[in-house]
Amino acid sequence: MKRIALFLVAMALSSILLAQTQNSDSLYRQPLKTVLSEIEGRFKVKIKYSENQVNNRWVNYALWRFRPDVDETLANVLAPLDMKVNKEKEGVYKLKEYEYYRWNAAEGQATLNHLASLYQDKASWEKRKALIRPLLYQAQQLSPLPAKPLSKPIITPKRVMDGYTVENIAIEILPGLYINGSLYRPSKIRGKIPVMLSPDGHWGQQRYRADCQLRCATMARMGVMAFSYDLFAWGESLLQFKPEDHRRSLAQTIQTLGGIRILDYVLSLKETDPGRVGISGGSGGGSHTVLMAAMDDRIKLSAPVVSLSSSFYGGCPCESGMPIHLCAGGTNNVELAAMAAPNPQLVVSDGKDWTVTVPGQDMPFLKTIYGYYGQAERVENVHLPEEGHDFGYSKRKALYDFLVQNFKLDVAGVKDKDGKYDESKCTIEKEPAMYVFGEKAERLPANAIKGFEQLEQVFKAATK
């Protein structure tokens, strides 16, 4: 009561001082900078912001939005401006533009609780899943899928390494639009073997990174075909587009279509075992992993790395640019991940990004869904509380172990005497060796799309 009384006194004093300039005719309007200063003084807090964030921004009914609680006051003041604050520590806030894709953990838990209330058993869950899946295609303007170009993949000469080979491949997924990657295969192939799609994430050097090459080469040495591929307007795709095109909403659609066409290709190979097809990517590649496993039942195993969270929807438009999370009255990445059930799924999380809540908040939900099939043990979590946002050795080891267990692999040849996975026999190639179209794009097909505007025209024609 005392706190409320003091608040009302402060509001009264402010009203007296502003009485001559503040009234309903002016909408009680004040500059945002002035309002933030008032909040800082009244609640004894610090709000960090740049001048560009507050210049020429005004708050209507400014002081009427104040409440006795600072967090409620900040929400009331900033929400109409599509702004928010992140609480860095007690009494210190940082002003941010509204982030539709980032919620707090409590909001994530509340959403999971709501979703869990929509089904109680396998039958009701399958009904929900059947509702969501076609809507994911519609949300990305992929219903129906555009016609597949009749061109054959462009494949570079095979490079022979220690226990595996590498070929660079470009697949035309729309007229003039190519998705590029590298296919790693075991040197000796007997019968049908597994395949793993390995989409790149939002790290530097794209699929040319050492950790990406080590992961795919090691999987090949374990007896798995691994297809490493670029995100849209990322890597070799930059021959056709500008880097800023990656942050357009259509990027998500193009990446999904690319994943579908890569699946078409690898399943056409005589050595592919269609019962052992998996996908694993990290960061933005992890979001793509979850979406692909939810949409395409040809995928039999998934492993999103440092990406999955009920309170983070993907900060890049290639993850959340299309309204996939608004499907069926609203969903989130954890429910989408649950759509992979009862196929084996590994969730790798860490303690220094948004995946910190996975063990206590997101895994119970996934376990419940897998439990509907009597297969709760088929969804696993490796949580690394002291690690951060990368695809380092410990994350790769978790993936290797999971593949050994579920794809029934013999790894005697890839472990050292101490039982550790030996990646030292993998060759880290220089970037140009992994190009499909040459160092100067001299092999880029004549029909290649050049620029986002042309892509939009081609996509519109292909989906009308």
Side-chain angles (χ1 to χ4, degrees):
M1 293 297 295
K2 183 178 179 181
R3 185 179 181 187
I4 294 175
L6 290 173
F7 169 81
L8 293 173
V9 170
M11 188 170 181
L13 290 173
S14 295
S15 298
I16 292 169
L17 293 172
L18 294 167
Q20 295 183 2
T21 57
Q22 289 281 295
N23 53 52
S24 61
D25 295 340
S26 64
L27 306 180
Y28 291 94
R29 193 169 184 249
Q30 285 189 291
L32 175 58
K33 186 173 182 178
T34 300
V35 178
L36 293 178
S37 179
E38 176 71 17
I39 293 172
E40 287 181 314
R42 189 173 298 189
F43 295 102
K44 309 304 180 189
V45 297
K46 172 66 178 175
I47 304 171
K48 297 158 67 173
Y49 56 84
S50 69
E51 288 299 318
N52 287 337
Q53 288 179 295
V54 297
N55 282 345
N56 299 316
R57 276 184 151 149
W58 294 75
V59 183
N60 290 339
Y61 306 102
L63 295 182
W64 290 93
R65 298 179 183 275
F66 280 50
R67 299 292 184 271
D69 178 76
V70 63
D71 293 307
E72 189 177 356
T73 298
L74 284 165
N76 285 348
V77 166
L78 298 174
L81 301 176
D82 276 342
M83 302 186 82
K84 57 174 280 190
V85 287
N86 286 350
K87 190 172 185 178
E88 296 188 335
K89 60 182 180 179
E90 193 62 38
V92 179
Y93 298 82
K94 186 173 183 179
L95 188 63
K96 302 275 289 185
E97 299 298 318
Y98 178 71
E99 297 171 309
Y100 69 91
Y101 52 83
R102 192 191 307 273
W103 298 11
N104 62 46
E107 290 172 321
Q109 182 66 70
T111 299
L112 286 181
N113 293 344
H114 166 70
L115 293 173
S117 72
L118 302 179
Y119 26 82
Q120 301 78 38
D121 51 26
K122 179 182 174 181
S124 55
W125 163 247
E126 285 284 347
K127 186 176 180 180
R128 169 77 174 170
K129 182 177 174 179
L131 174 65
I132 295 173
R133 179 172 280 174
L135 295 177
L136 294 175
Y137 284 88
Q138 292 175 28
Q140 296 174 85
Q141 302 174 36
L142 292 175
S143 181
L145 282 173
K148 189 190 308 183
L150 298 177
S151 58
K152 293 182 178 180
I154 300 168
I155 304 175
T156 64
K158 186 179 295 183
R159 305 185 297 284
V160 179
M161 308 300 184
D162 188 344
Y164 67 100
T165 64
V166 189
E167 299 163 285
N168 306 327
I169 299 178
I171 298 172
E172 190 175 19
I173 63 174
L174 287 172
L177 177 63
Y178 294 86
I179 186 165
N180 294 14
S182 296
L183 181 61
Y184 296 72
R185 304 190 212 213
S187 293
K188 297 179 181 179
I189 298 177
R190 298 182 181 87
K192 301 286 189 179
I193 63 173
V195 62
M196 283 294 293
L197 272 60
S198 298
D200 185 39
H202 291 111
W203 290 295
Q205 293 185 279
Q206 300 87 40
R207 64 184 173 87
Y208 316 121
R209 290 189 326 279
D211 69 83
C212 190
Q213 293 190 54
L214 287 171
R215 182 170 80 253
C216 293
T218 300
M219 285 192 286
R221 297 185 72 246
M222 293 165 62
V224 177
M225 276 191 292
F227 197 113
S228 172
Y229 55 100
D230 293 327
L231 300 177
F232 172 74
W234 205 270
E236 207 165 357
S237 178
L238 289 171
L239 294 176
Q240 298 189 254
F241 304 100
K242 297 177 180 178
E244 53 266 33
D245 292 335
H246 178 71
R247 295 198 59 82
R248 294 176 182 262
S249 60
L250 192 60
Q252 184 168 38
T253 296
I254 298 304
Q255 288 175 189
T256 299
L257 180 61
I260 291 169
R261 295 307 178 214
I262 289 171
L263 272 173
D264 293 342
Y265 172 70
V266 296
L267 284 166
S268 74
L269 301 175
K270 66 180 186 301
E271 62 266 41
T272 300
D273 179 355
R276 292 186 291 171
V277 175
I279 184 169
S280 178
S283 190
S287 297
H288 176 72
T289 292
V290 168
L291 183 58
M292 286 297 298
M295 293 179 65
D296 200 317
D297 59 11
R298 294 176 296 178
I299 294 174
K300 308 301 183 186
L301 174 150
S302 56
V305 175
V306 296
S307 66
L308 187 65
S309 172
S310 54
S311 55
F312 190 72
Y313 291 73
C316 179
C318 82
E319 302 169 83
S320 57
M322 289 297 194
I324 61 168
H325 300 103
L326 303 181
C327 292
T331 182
N332 65 16
N333 285 338
V334 177
E335 188 180 43
L336 295 182
M339 290 176 65
N343 292 328
Q345 181 168 195
L346 170 68
V347 180
V348 180
S349 55
D350 66 79
K352 297 182 180 179
D353 64 18
W354 53 87
T355 64
V356 65
T357 60
V358 165
Q361 184 161 304
D362 304 329
M363 281 303 294
F365 180 92
L366 291 173
K367 288 285 188 182
T368 296
I369 302 300
Y370 273 74
Y372 291 158
Y373 300 86
Q375 301 281 357
E377 75 285 352
R378 299 193 89 185
V379 59
E380 301 179 20
N381 174 222
V382 170
H383 187 67
L384 303 162
E386 302 304 316
E387 295 197 16
H389 194 73
D390 60 32
F391 212 138
Y393 175 77
S394 54
K395 280 100 171 175
R396 299 196 297 275
K397 177 185 180 300
L399 175 62
Y400 301 155
D401 287 342
F402 194 67
L403 293 180
V404 170
Q405 172 190 341
N406 289 283
F407 281 170
K408 309 304 179 187
L409 305 176
D410 180 5
V411 293
V414 296
K415 286 191 173 183
D416 60 24
K417 58 182 176 57
D418 298 319
K420 183 179 180 180
Y421 291 99
D422 183 5
E423 298 178 325
S424 66
K425 294 182 180 179
C426 302
T427 299
I428 306 300
E429 297 188 283
K430 292 184 178 179
E431 187 173 312
M434 303 178 73
Y435 296 161
V436 180
F437 297 135
E439 290 192 52
K440 298 181 180 179
E442 63 272 15
R443 293 194 291 274
L444 188 67
N447 76 328
I449 289 172
K450 292 291 182 66
F452 192 82
E453 187 174 319
Q454 187 181 358
L455 170 62
E456 288 181 305
Q457 295 170 357
V458 170
F459 184 77
K460 185 177 181 180
T463 55
K464 67 181 180 181

